[in-house]
Amino acid sequence: MAAKQIWWRIAGLSGASSIGLAAYGAHGLKVDATMQKTFDNGNRLHMIHSGMLALCPLLKRPHLSGTLFLAGITIFSGSCYAAVATEERRNGRYAPVGGTCLILGWLTLVL
């Protein structure tokens, strides 16, 4: 399978899951305002970077950029989702690692 197809499939799955989670967060999630903010922040970055995954095939280093964006989504947003699902803020402790991956993903655009 070509690099373009792989990243477009991953982007499609990531984007679809971010929309599904957004709908759940808006209509089914029953948490306090602080946890809602945590969920919304994780979901917003999940959505934005799903779009970046779709652009990866157009970049000079699609696998490097895609891997960093995917790791960032998984670690940052996953950490936020885990914190909300368990109502334990300590489950968000890996968010800075994910955020760093997202920053590095953006920096691959200048390589």
Side-chain angles (χ1 to χ4, degrees):
M1 183 179 302
K4 287 182 182 184
Q5 290 177 332
I6 291 168
W7 289 112
W8 282 331
R9 286 181 182 194
I10 292 170
L13 292 170
S14 182
S17 67
S18 73
I19 297 297
L21 286 164
Y24 174 71
H27 304 290
L29 186 62
K30 305 294 184 222
V31 293
D32 66 32
T34 301
M35 287 293 180
Q36 184 69 48
K37 185 175 179 179
T38 298
F39 182 90
D40 292 343
N41 191 38
N43 188 247
R44 184 179 66 252
L45 289 178
H46 184 172
M47 285 185 177
I48 290 166
H49 292 92
S50 292
M52 288 307 299
L53 285 172
L55 296 176
C56 283
L58 307 175
L59 302 176
K60 188 188 279 188
R61 294 181 173 87
H63 292 303
L64 176 60
S65 301
T67 299
L68 288 166
F69 285 129
L70 184 58
I73 291 168
T74 303
I75 299 168
F76 181 86
S77 296
S79 182
C80 292
Y81 296 146
V84 173
T86 63
E87 295 189 22
E88 290 283 337
R89 294 208 49 88
R90 66 183 172 89
N91 287 326
R93 66 183 170 255
Y94 298 111
V97 175
T100 300
C101 289
L102 294 173
I103 291 167
L104 292 173
W106 281 99
L107 289 174
T108 65
L109 300 180
V110 300
L111 295 177

